[in-house]
Structures are given as C-alpha cells and as structure tokens.
Amino acid sequence: MNDFLEVRGPSGTAIVPLAGEPGARVSVGRGPGNTVELAGDPRVSGQHAVLEWTGGGWCVSDLGSRNGTLLGGERIHGLRAMRNGDELLLGRTRVTLRSRAADQPATEGAEPPPMLTPRERDVLVALCRPFFAGRTFAQPASARQVAAELVVTEDAVQQHLLRLYRKFGLAEGPDRRVRLAAEALERGAVTVADV
C-alpha cells in the first residue's frame, strides 16, 4: 500500500487505505455512504470533505461543511493540494495523509524500519493484512487474529508486539497497535508484496 489516511478522532484511531489511481475519490463525513464515515464526531457534517487523486497527488476540498475543514491549521476554500504528512482537522477528528507519491517529500522523521526477526516480520504482516482486504475503514488485526493466522499462542503474539513497540519507538498509550501498523506501513516494513 502506498497511500493511506491515519484517522484519529472521538471514535478512536484507524487507517484508511487510498488507491492513488485516476478518478479515485474519498468522501469524508458523518453520514452513511461516505468512504470514511465519522459517525462518532458530532462536529463533522454529513458530507464534510472530499479527497481526490489528481494524477500527481491528493487534493482536498470542503463540501460546504458547517464547521469547515482546516489544512495545516488554515481553513480551506476550493481545491487544495496535500503533501505527505499534511493534517486535516474536521470537527474533532484529525486526518493525516501518508503518501509515497514520487513528487512528494517523505514525512519528516520517516526512517527505514528497524531490524526484524522473521517471526516479528510475520506478526507485522498479519497485523497489517486487514488494510489490504479491500475494506475502506480498516483496523489492524487483533492479537487473537494474529495468533490464529500464525498458529501460535496469544501470549507469544503479545511478546512479539511488545518487542515491536520498542523497536519502532512507540510509547504506551491509546491505539498502540494502530500506531505500530501505521509506522510499519509508512517506513516500508510491510508492503503490498508481503500480503
């Protein structure tokens, strides 16, 4: 997966895969039918904003939302280009673009993945597999799902996850599995070829 959105809001954190191809369009809003449905954020309009692939990268436009869409802290009007690492604020929800488009700079701080054992790599691939299953608003696999896929115990998966959190420099806190998956995808530890 090359491009994805990291969505952090009142309902938690999730990763939304993006298809950087002609005609790709991602609607964001509280109402059903949006590609990214933010039902848990009352400050988001039913149809709030849309991201569109323009061939060279992603652009965003507000759809006349009640509270507006902020890009980098500035309210947007019309179509605005987005770069890797740009953050949108829609109500109480923050949406960060993670893109590997050739003409976009890498996110500051992005670095190669740490050295991983074969089993740690297996755990990361299983953790990230739901993002490649064609669902729009995906969550990483649970420890139970990873254990079932790898035919190991949940305790073994938890131990691997603890080592992976340390290797990727992820402090304790909410949504740590989601943050690990986002780091693994952004830093190239897991790619489409792996799944």
Side-chain angles (χ1 to χ4, degrees):
M1 173 168 47
N2 287 334
D3 299 347
F4 63 94
L5 297 176
E6 192 175 332
V7 181
R8 298 177 314 281
S11 298
T13 304
I15 293 173
V16 180
L18 298 174
E21 55 192 36
R25 182 179 162 93
V26 177
S27 60
V28 183
R30 197 175 70 241
N34 283 294
T35 313
V36 180
E37 190 177 323
L38 303 175
D41 190 339
R43 293 187 178 178
V44 171
S45 294
Q47 294 187 339
H48 198 103
V50 66
L51 281 79
E52 299 176 83
W53 177 256
T54 62
W58 291 96
C59 291
V60 63
S61 56
D62 185 79
L63 297 175
S65 65
R66 184 178 65 242
N67 294 315
T69 300
L70 279 65
L71 173 60
E74 178 186 331
R75 190 168 183 154
I76 63 169
H77 303 283
L79 195 64
R80 293 280 301 273
M82 292 186 70
R83 298 169 65 100
N84 185 31
D86 278 352
E87 182 177 89
L88 297 171
L89 181 62
L90 300 89
R92 294 181 182 154
T93 302
R94 296 183 182 282
V95 178
T96 306
L97 175 66
R98 303 294 183 196
S99 176
R100 295 184 184 270
D103 61 336
Q104 296 183 344
T107 302
E108 280 185 37
E111 56 189 77
M115 293 295 291
L116 302 172
T117 67
R119 186 48 97 183
E120 288 169 343
R121 202 161 168 345
D122 292 343
V123 168
L124 272 183
V125 169
L127 182 76
C128 294
R129 193 173 307 283
F131 303 127
F132 300 91
R135 292 180 308 189
T136 303
F137 202 62
Q139 290 284 328
S142 67
R144 177 174 286 161
Q145 291 167 321
V146 172
E149 179 176 330
L150 301 179
V151 193
V152 296
T153 66
E154 254 184 90
D155 287 340
V157 171
Q158 292 291 0
Q159 290 304 312
H160 287 299
L161 287 173
L162 287 173
R163 283 194 290 279
L164 287 164
Y165 295 144
R166 281 194 298 273
K167 285 186 174 188
F168 280 87
L170 297 171
E172 287 190 32
D175 302 313
R176 196 151 67 151
R177 270 183 320 107
V178 177
R179 290 184 287 137
L180 175 61
E183 280 287 318
L185 292 167
E186 185 175 356
R187 292 169 64 177
V190 176
T191 66
V192 175
D194 296 322
V195 293

